[in-house]
Amino acid sequence: MEQSYAFNITKLFPIVILLFLSTFKLNAQCEPVCKDNTKIYLCYESTVEVLPEDVLKPIQPECLKDMVVDIFQNGDSLGNQVSYLLAGQTLDVRLTDTLSHFTCQSTITIERDSTPPTAVCDEFTVTTLPLDGYAVLCADNFDSGSYDNCFLQSIKIRRMDDNSSFKNCIRVSCSDVGAPIMVILQATDYEGLTDICMIELSVQEKIAPVINCPDDIDISCKFDPFDVNVTGIATATDNCHVKEITHTDSDLRNDCGVGVIERTWMATDDAGNTSTCVQKIRTIWER
């Protein structure tokens, strides 16, 4: 037995109307409205894709997926990309909603990056001189993460007491031991934009002098054992500079003036490092 079904289209009519109104409302909310002009900042020798949100006034995020950007230079389409070579030019741009076919038109101006880098320093740095008395310090000894929103071209340094140009490295020596040296670090990007930071550099010298005592000596008690012109004088060398050579005596002689004097020689450099040696002076009784 055949069965028949009646299909009442009037029951679907409200649903169709609702879907139509919802789609119309969404399309209306997604109608693109362009900004008057948009500045696009480009890094050195870069190419970027211009996105719908770059040229649109605020719009619901779900609308962006159907938006297409077209850029024109003298009527010729460039697609949706611009390069650093276009810096300084103002280009026409058209944005189209591919779903609703709404469009808006505006312009974009291509600008070179204008944000300077950020120089970051180790504010306090200590270095110790080696045996030869001088050290070479380069920018990476002081840099603590300098950065740029695009790319850094160079990080260089110079001493504040040196008015010459910035260099990759500086030299410090014995004459710098003591008072801190101020060093300037300069970060430069590919647009020539710069930033600086300051470092307080302390140069230390920790190598003790090398001292040489006079030979041990036997002298007659007729001579003055405390006269270094008779008993000899110590000498010393240092990687920087020997400030002074001094001595102290330990007199171990008997009441007759016979016995040993132990003379301790001390060499001191400009940084206060010391070294010592001991000389023995024996006095002998002679009739």
Side-chain angles (χ1 to χ4, degrees):
M1 179 177 178
E2 294 184 359
Q3 293 182 350
S4 61
Y5 297 91
F7 185 75
N8 190 348
I9 194 170
T10 59
K11 293 183 178 180
L12 292 177
F13 186 73
I15 298 175
V16 172
I17 294 298
L18 182 60
L19 289 173
F20 174 78
L21 292 176
S22 298
T23 302
F24 178 80
K25 182 178 180 181
L26 179 60
N27 287 341
Q29 291 174 339
C30 287
E31 180 177 358
V33 179
C34 290
K35 302 173 185 176
D36 293 334
N37 176 267
T38 301
K39 289 187 177 182
I40 305 294
Y41 291 90
L42 294 186
C43 297
Y44 181 73
E45 293 187 345
S46 66
T47 297
V48 300
E49 178 181 347
V50 179
L51 302 175
E53 51 264 41
D54 293 330
V55 297
L56 281 175
K57 291 185 177 180
I59 195 170
Q60 294 183 14
E62 60 267 21
C63 299
L64 295 173
K65 62 184 178 64
D66 298 313
M67 301 289 183
V68 175
V69 174
D70 285 306
I71 301 165
F72 298 89
Q73 182 186 32
N74 300 324
D76 297 326
S77 175
L78 303 178
N80 65 345
Q81 293 187 337
V82 291
S83 76
Y84 180 84
L85 297 177
L86 297 171
Q89 297 189 39
T90 297
L91 308 174
D92 295 322
V93 60
R94 181 179 66 210
L95 192 139
T96 304
D97 182 340
T98 58
L99 183 64
S100 66
H101 302 293
F102 288 133
T103 64
C104 68
Q105 297 189 28
S106 183
T107 58
I108 57 173
T109 300
I110 312 303
E111 301 280 0
R112 293 180 176 180
D113 167 48
S114 61
T115 303
T118 299
V120 183
C121 295
D122 291 326
E123 294 183 12
F124 301 96
T125 301
V126 177
T127 190
T128 301
L129 295 178
L131 189 60
D132 54 11
Y134 74 91
V136 175
L137 301 173
C138 297
D140 57 1
N141 295 117
F142 304 103
D143 180 55
S144 190
S146 299
Y147 61 92
D148 186 61
N149 63 315
C150 287
F151 311 102
L152 282 174
Q153 183 185 47
S154 66
I155 300 176
K156 295 188 176 184
I157 53 176
R158 71 172 176 85
R159 294 172 57 134
M160 199 168 181
D161 58 6
D162 180 0
N163 291 324
S164 63
S165 59
F166 284 90
K167 307 175 180 66
N168 293 324
C169 303
I170 60 172
R171 174 172 168 158
V172 293
S173 62
C174 295
S175 61
D176 297 311
V177 175
I181 303 167
M182 298 308 298
V183 177
I184 308 172
L185 181 143
Q186 182 186 69
T188 305
D189 68 12
Y190 278 90
E191 291 296 340
L193 303 171
T194 63
D195 188 34
I196 62 171
C197 55
M198 306 293 295
I199 305 106
E200 183 179 288
L201 171 63
S202 295
V203 180
Q204 298 181 349
E205 191 270 297
K206 297 183 177 181
I207 300 175
V210 176
I211 189 169
N212 297 292
C213 266
D215 292 336
D216 294 344
I217 188 172
D218 295 338
I219 64 171
S220 168
C221 59
K222 296 179 180 179
F223 295 99
D224 181 3
F226 299 104
D227 185 351
V228 295
N229 292 316
V230 174
T231 59
I233 301 173
T235 60
T237 58
D238 188 65
N239 64 322
C240 283
H241 177 255
V242 177
K243 181 179 180 180
E244 61 180 1
I245 299 175
T246 58
H247 69 273
T248 57
D249 291 333
S250 177
D251 192 350
L252 305 177
R253 296 175 301 165
N254 60 25
D255 293 340
C256 296
V258 176
V260 176
I261 297 172
E262 291 185 349
R263 178 163 295 158
T264 301
W265 292 92
M266 176 182 290
T268 305
D269 65 16
D270 288 340
N273 302 303
T274 62
S275 58
T276 61
C277 63
V278 177
Q279 176 194 20
K280 291 184 178 180
I281 303 163
R282 288 181 292 272
T283 57
I284 301 171
W285 172 258
E286 290 185 358
R287 294 180 181 274

